[in-house]
Amino acid sequence: MPEVDIMQTNDLFRLLLLFIYSHEQERHTIFESIKLPDYFELKLLYFSDIIPQHPTYKTLTQDISNKGFKNKLKKFILTQVFLSKQHFPEGWDNKTTFKEVLLFLNNGEEYRSNLFDTLCQLFDSGNIKYQEHELTGMRRGYYEFKCDIEINAVNQEFINALYCYYNSIPMAPYASFGTMEHNVSNAQVDINLGISSGERTIYTFLSRLMGVIWGKQGEIHHAAINKIIHSHQFDGKTLIILLDEPDLQLHPEWQQKFISLLTNLLNLYFPKVRFQIIMTTHSPILLSDIPRTNVIFVDKKQDGTCKVCNGINLKETFASNIHTLYNNSFFLDGIPIGEFSKQKIESLHMRIMSGTIDSHTLEDIYRIGEPIIRNILLQEYDNKRDTLSNVKRVTLLKEELAKLESNKQ
């Protein structure tokens, strides 16, 4: 059974650590442009058609009430564990306690907090809203226990417990969720941070970057984020960061903020470390934050290989208009518009010049957003209309007048 990729798992939990740290350090401006959610979702799910037959499970669940947060949480955790695990310690029987099960999930390390206790503490403090129900549609057959957890109340102890539990439940890729194939887990843990895809991309990038710098791609639940940041282990050193198209999946607004976020983050957490950032991009927005002297332009040759184009006369990029950058830096000919609209404009121009015009021609001209192109075509339209016969001109003017009256209403 395939498990969730370890890098993706660590991205997720470093993401939560950054959430916590940014809440604790409100004076820092690094996260001001990214609004943090008030709550995030934690869902525990299991497939209801399969009942674990292990004697420990039967004993621990037979007297559990179906009422109350703690009873329901205990039932879900036990069901997930006994549905997802293949092997259990020798000697587990009807005398094994729930505490021993939780200790087993923590790899026998008693000093670690467990998910059950930390969630109960958050619930007792009024920081959790929850509901339990059976899913329908593509997820039919699954029971879900959903907790909306107030992010202000989350601490590193909870993240450690969640991380440990998350990695204790074997899971299939989310894309296969809801189908009962051999590679799909009977238990799932789903964490929804309640942020947009652009925000998630930014946060994931920042958390992965911090993880690489901290050297914590493996286990992170021992990581004390403050100690790592203030360890000064890289002071006086130069680190090289390689980024391959970091602007992918980013809304233009996030592209505008990306370089600023990145440099502010590095300056904030590593003020005595020098960074050399090397990145590739097709985004004129990112390019507008980079001086021309720091840019290497690459184009493709006819044989498909790449060539460096620094020898040609390229204009300054820093604080340059993105439309200018499209033309000058990305080797686009003419006005930077889509190929489809370009073909339509050329076809419209040919219709006008051939005299094949009617009231719809004027509509097509006014659809064009670029004012220079629109005004040129309007001038050509007026000139061509003046060359028509009086009868055709009158007919055309009447059609135009009727459309104007219709739009007025």
Side-chain angles (χ1 to χ4, degrees), residues 5 18 51 77 87 95 97 102 115 148 165 251 265 331 335 359:
D5 176 67
L18 282 175
I51 300 175
I77 287 178
H87 304 287
K95 295 182 180 180
T97 64
L102 295 176
L115 184 64
D148 291 325
Y165 185 83
H251 185 278
L265 178 85
F331 313 109
I335 297 176
S359 59

Side-chain angles (χ1 to χ4, degrees), residues 333-368:
D333 296 326
I335 297 176
I337 58 176
E339 186 66 26
F340 179 78
S341 59
K342 184 178 180 181
Q343 292 173 358
K344 288 295 183 182
I345 289 172
E346 291 174 350
S347 174
L348 180 59
H349 179 254
M350 291 177 63
R351 282 163 48 198
I352 295 172
M353 299 309 294
S354 65
T356 313
I357 59 176
D358 53 29
S359 59
H360 296 295
T361 306
L362 200 59
E363 285 184 359
D364 292 339
I365 294 175
Y366 278 112
R367 286 195 184 99
I368 298 172

Side-chain angles (χ1 to χ4, degrees), residues 31-68:
F31 295 104
E32 284 183 355
S33 58
I34 304 178
K35 186 181 184 303
L36 298 174
D38 295 327
Y39 290 85
F40 75 93
E41 288 182 349
L42 171 64
K43 298 178 182 178
L44 307 182
L45 306 101
Y46 67 82
F47 193 67
S48 58
D49 284 1
I50 303 175
I51 300 175
Q53 298 301 312
H54 196 284
T56 299
Y57 175 81
K58 291 183 176 181
T59 301
L60 292 177
T61 57
Q62 65 181 359
D63 295 326
I64 294 181
S65 169
N66 288 325
K67 296 181 180 180

Side-chain angles (χ1 to χ4, degrees), residues 79-353:
T79 305
Q80 283 204 320
V81 170
F82 284 92
L83 280 178
S84 62
K85 292 288 187 181
Q86 301 295 324
H87 304 287
F88 298 95
E90 292 185 11
W92 271 26
D93 53 22
N94 55 8
K95 295 182 180 180
T96 303
T97 64
F98 182 49
K99 183 177 180 180
E100 290 177 286
V101 175
L102 295 176
L103 188 61
F104 168 67
L105 291 175
N106 279 3
N107 298 318
E109 298 174 346
E110 295 186 6
Y111 67 89
R112 290 185 182 176
S113 300
N114 63 72
L115 184 64
F116 178 79
D117 288 339
T118 53
L119 283 176
C120 288
Q121 290 169 7
L122 289 170
F123 178 78
D124 290 339
S125 301
N127 302 120
I128 287 183
K129 305 172 185 176
Y130 80 97
Q131 58 179 314
E132 173 200 12
H133 61 278
E134 185 173 2
L135 301 180
T136 58
M138 291 291 292
R139 304 181 184 183
R140 184 173 55 189
Y142 278 87
Y143 274 109
E144 175 186 273
F145 187 78
K146 182 169 78 78
C147 298
D148 291 325
I149 304 172
E150 190 174 352
I151 201 165
N152 277 324
V154 171
N155 54 31
Q156 189 155 326
E157 181 182 17
F158 168 75
I159 299 300
N160 292 344
L162 180 58
Y163 177 85
C164 193
Y165 185 83
Y166 189 89
N167 285 283
S168 297
I169 305 298
M171 289 178 289
Y174 189 78
S176 300
F177 187 81
T179 60
M180 283 309 296
E181 299 176 359
H182 68 280
N183 66 333
V184 177
S185 174
N186 295 320
Q188 297 273 342
V189 179
D190 182 17
I191 301 173
N192 180 10
L193 300 177
I195 55 180
S196 70
S197 58
E199 290 170 321
R200 187 181 184 90
T201 299
I202 285 287
Y203 261 124
T204 300
F205 167 77
L206 295 178
S207 65
R208 181 170 292 194
L209 175 64
M210 300 300 277
V212 170
I213 293 174
W214 295 333
K216 294 290 177 183
Q217 294 94 325
E219 293 198 2
I220 65 168
H221 50 269
H222 293 303
I225 198 167
N226 283 288
K227 292 181 180 178
I228 293 172
I229 289 175
H230 298 298
S231 65
H232 306 293
Q233 59 178 312
F234 297 113
D235 285 2
K237 297 182 180 179
T238 298
L239 300 182
I240 299 175
I241 299 176
L242 304 177
L243 305 176
D244 184 20
E245 299 192 49
D247 51 281
L248 290 180
Q249 300 181 346
L250 290 184
H251 185 278
E253 182 181 358
W254 290 116
Q255 293 182 36
Q256 284 183 311
K257 298 174 181 178
F258 181 81
I259 298 296
S260 177
L261 279 171
L262 176 60
T263 54
N264 287 342
L265 178 85
L266 297 177
N267 289 330
L268 177 65
Y269 293 149
F270 307 98
K272 297 182 180 180
V273 181
R274 291 175 58 86
F275 289 95
Q276 181 181 5
I277 302 171
I278 302 173
M279 68 178 180
T280 62
T281 183
H282 291 105
S283 169
I285 299 176
L286 260 65
L287 192 60
S288 69
D289 277 338
I290 309 296
R292 167 69 182 84
T293 53
N294 294 83
V295 179
I296 297 176
F297 296 91
V298 178
D299 196 8
K300 185 178 290 186
K301 296 191 291 187
Q302 291 184 349
D303 61 2
T305 59
C306 293
K307 62 179 179 180
V308 176
C309 302
N310 281 351
I312 62 178
N313 184 24
L314 293 169
K315 298 181 180 180
E316 182 55 69
T317 56
F318 185 76
S320 182
N321 183 288
I322 63 170
H323 300 292
T324 303
L325 287 173
Y326 263 125
N327 277 342
N328 295 335
S329 302
F330 292 93
F331 313 109
L332 296 179
D333 296 326
I335 297 176
I337 58 176
E339 186 66 26
F340 179 78
S341 59
K342 184 178 180 181
Q343 292 173 358
K344 288 295 183 182
I345 289 172
E346 291 174 350
S347 174
L348 180 59
H349 179 254
M350 291 177 63
R351 282 163 48 198
I352 295 172
M353 299 309 294

Side-chain angles (χ1 to χ4, degrees), residues 9-22:
T9 302
N10 286 339
D11 281 343
L12 176 63
F13 284 93
R14 276 193 297 269
L15 207 58
L16 291 172
L17 287 173
L18 282 175
F19 273 175
I20 296 169
Y21 191 74
S22 62

